[in-house]
Amino acid sequence: MKKPVHNPREVAEIVAVQALSFIAGDPERLGLFLAESGIGPETLRNAASDPQFLASVLDFVMRDDATVKAFASASQLHPTNIAAAHQALNDPRWERDVP
């Protein structure tokens, strides 16, 4: 059994990883995202560990209502949860703890 996550930032990162998976599931959407982000398909997996990259994933999803609705449906999340994750990842007051 997985340990529940209560940290809003961690939850937001999980939502962003789900969004990346959603984007990757549609070749047209993935192509558009890769073109806009400048990330190549070979570096996508490594980029997913970068909080700024994860924020850009949710930026991509949030800019289009149809994409938000499609991701919400696919992930079984309410659009307001996606918006909250987007806000948490774009909060300039938060800084990741690096060991």
Side-chain angles (χ1 to χ4, degrees):
M1 181 173 218
K2 290 185 178 183
K3 179 182 168 188
V5 179
H6 298 289
N7 179 320
R9 183 69 182 204
E10 288 179 43
V11 171
E13 288 182 3
I14 291 167
V15 171
V17 168
Q18 290 174 326
L20 181 58
S21 178
F22 167 76
I23 291 167
D26 179 328
E28 184 177 330
R29 191 176 285 133
L30 178 60
L32 182 59
F33 176 74
L34 292 176
E36 289 181 13
S37 68
I39 300 287
E42 65 283 346
T43 59
L44 198 55
R45 186 175 301 257
N46 289 337
S49 64
D50 178 3
Q52 289 179 329
F53 175 76
L54 292 176
S56 74
V57 169
L58 289 180
D59 288 343
F60 179 83
V61 169
M62 290 297 296
R63 71 165 194 216
D64 176 57
D65 285 344
T67 304
V68 172
K69 289 176 184 176
F71 173 54
S73 176
S75 63
Q76 298 180 346
L77 292 171
H78 194 276
T80 57
N81 295 116
I82 299 166
H86 179 251
Q87 183 177 3
L89 288 179
N90 285 296
D91 184 354
R93 295 174 295 173
W94 186 88
E95 188 173 312
R96 178 179 281 239
D97 295 327
V98 179

